[in-house]
Amino acid sequence: METRGGDTFAVGTDRVAGVEFFYRPTVGDFEEALRAWALRTGAGRFQAFAVPVASVGALAVFGVVVGLSAPVLIVALLVCAAVVSWGALRALRTQARRMFSIVEPYGQCRMVADERGAVSTGERVSFTVEWAVHREYLETARLFVLLGGERSAGIAVLPKRGAQGPEDVERLRAILGRNLRQL
């Protein structure tokens, strides 16, 4: 793969024509991807709910040991659950902003996917990823979210708005379905 000035050229490869998406990533894309990850994967659910559950549990034990009355303990638990859950949501939003800050310099992106993998080209960078790098994917109303496997710990976000038409979304869904496990 050769990269020059934001353009990607396949050199000596047998890549077949794939599906093509054009999009500019947004913070909202990453927020939606992280919310979906948090709700649909075991690791995501653990990360999203471990701190709130542990905090409420610790407060309940503390309240019982100290001898708080039932109404006071219930109100304290509700306030604790609300505050810690809000904090967990803010943490996801902060993580989304950090992820977006990494890809924001890429600018307008062009992604071409075929049976071997995906080539993504931005205004300042390009890269090729084979499907073996990802283990699974999930789909939301607006995104395809590719989840990393043993060789990749991150996620990749592909907004459906980048498709040239509904048939491109269907073609990408079929390519992903043949190459990755859907959650």
Side-chain angles (χ1 to χ4, degrees):
M1 186 59 58
E2 181 180 321
T3 305
R4 272 190 295 222
D7 293 329
T8 302
F9 304 96
V11 178
T13 66
D14 57 352
R15 286 188 97 80
V16 297
V19 62
E20 191 171 46
F21 280 55
F22 292 93
Y23 61 93
R24 183 174 296 274
T26 67
V27 174
D29 294 338
F30 289 94
E31 286 181 11
E32 183 175 340
L34 288 173
R35 275 194 309 272
W37 174 79
L39 294 173
R40 295 188 193 171
T41 67
R45 285 189 294 271
F46 179 79
Q47 181 178 334
F49 298 113
V51 171
V53 169
S55 298
V56 168
L59 180 60
V61 169
F62 177 76
V64 169
V65 168
V66 172
L68 292 177
S69 66
V72 171
L73 182 58
I74 290 171
V75 169
L77 291 174
L78 290 173
V79 169
C80 177
V83 168
V84 175
S85 295
W86 176 81
L89 180 60
R90 294 295 303 160
L92 277 178
R93 288 184 176 154
T94 299
Q95 186 177 0
R97 282 193 299 277
R98 286 184 183 150
M99 293 170 77
F100 173 70
S101 72
I102 294 169
V103 300
E104 183 180 22
Y106 296 0
Q108 182 72 23
C109 294
R110 172 183 177 256
M111 184 279 308
V112 179
D114 60 21
E115 292 302 322
R116 290 182 42 203
V119 176
S120 185
T121 306
E123 294 172 358
R124 294 177 186 87
V125 70
S126 67
F127 56 91
T128 302
V129 178
E130 293 183 8
W131 294 128
V133 171
H134 301 286
R135 71 174 177 266
E136 53 204 5
Y137 78 99
L138 55 90
E139 184 176 352
T140 70
R142 300 177 335 156
L143 303 171
F144 289 104
V145 182
L146 309 180
L147 303 172
E150 290 81 35
R151 293 184 252 163
S152 172
I155 66 171
V157 177
L158 292 170
K160 293 178 183 178
R161 69 177 178 276
Q164 305 304 301
E167 64 280 352
D168 285 345
V169 171
E170 290 300 322
R171 287 175 51 208
L172 181 58
R173 185 178 292 122
I175 290 170
L176 293 175
R178 286 189 295 272
N179 293 286
L180 301 173
R181 185 173 69 95
Q182 183 177 12
L183 292 180

